[in-house]
Each structure stands twice: as structure tokens, then as C-alpha cells.
Amino acid sequence: MTLHPDILTDLIVLYHAGEASQASRALLEEEAARNPQIAAALAAGPRPVPTLPSGPAPDERKVLRKVRLRYQAISFGIIWMLALLAVVLLPRFVNTRTGIEIAISLMPFAVLILFFAGAVAALYFFIRAVR
């Protein structure tokens, strides 16, 4: 029976590691009796496997900074949405006529302040992300 050389190489590696089954060992010994190259490979012993080079470890400070920045951005978005929701729903909760007039007169200023705060916070997050 003729096996592909790659299969025989795999079996030789398993043979040296002590992981080959009894049938595989018998097959390799039969092939070694007929093929001197296989006999030499079985007699040579296992070759040391070179260790793989490890990649550079990520800098923990950079990773923590990115995670912190992401959570700050999420928190900013949640607070921004809640503030806008409060400004939009404020007139619905005020039942008196004067309360509605006050809420309507203050609405442009509240929206302007919210947009200004949002622009400043967005600029802050952008500068932190680029830096």
C-alpha cells in the first residue's frame, strides 16, 4: 500500500510524540523496512518545534482610555436624549395657562443651551478621540 508522503510525515510526527495508534506504528515500521528515508526519519527522533513569536501586547492605558471614552460618549448620548425629552415634554406636564406660557417662552433658551452644551461636549469627545 502506497501512502502520500504528507500522510507519512504526519504519522511520523505522531509517532515521535507518542500519539500514534498501534496500527499507525505498525504501518510506519513496515514502510521503514521498505523505504530508507522513513527509517532515517523514525531513527532521528523528534525535532524541536520552534516557538511562535508573540505579538506586542496592547498597551493597557490605551485600551482603558478607549473603553472610558466609549462609555463617556454613551453616557453623554443618554443624558442628551433625556434632556431633550424633558424639554419637549415639559409643556405637557404643566397644566396651568401661565405655566404653559412660561414653558413656551423658556423653550428656545433651553434648546439653545442644550445645543451649545452638546456642541461643546461633542468637540471635547472629538479632541479626546483624535489625541
Side-chain angles (χ1 to χ4, degrees):
M1 175 167 106
T2 306
L3 292 175
H4 193 274
D6 290 340
I7 295 173
L8 290 173
T9 304
D10 292 342
L11 287 176
I12 290 170
V13 171
L14 290 174
Y15 180 86
H16 288 303
E19 300 290 326
S21 66
Q22 190 62 30
S24 297
R25 288 178 175 277
L27 177 70
L28 281 174
E29 290 168 1
E30 285 177 19
E31 288 290 325
R34 288 184 288 207
N35 190 341
Q37 290 178 339
I38 294 176
L42 288 178
R47 290 181 293 176
V49 178
T51 59
L52 296 174
S54 62
D59 187 17
E60 293 176 6
R61 290 182 186 150
K62 288 181 182 179
V63 173
L64 288 175
R65 185 171 155 246
K66 285 183 180 182
V67 169
R68 184 174 44 244
L69 186 62
R70 178 169 291 175
Y71 281 125
Q72 285 176 348
I74 290 170
S75 300
F76 167 73
I78 291 171
I79 291 171
W80 179 255
M81 285 178 40
L82 289 175
L84 284 177
L85 191 63
V87 167
V88 169
L89 295 179
L90 181 65
R92 291 192 180 263
F93 294 120
V94 179
N95 292 330
T96 62
R97 181 174 173 81
T98 57
I100 292 175
E101 290 174 0
I102 292 172
I104 289 174
S105 65
L106 292 178
M107 188 72 70
F109 297 111
V111 170
L112 182 65
I113 289 171
L114 281 174
F115 280 124
F116 180 71
V120 169
L123 183 63
Y124 168 75
F125 285 122
F126 177 73
I127 290 172
R128 294 259 332 238
V130 172
R131 196 171 41 137

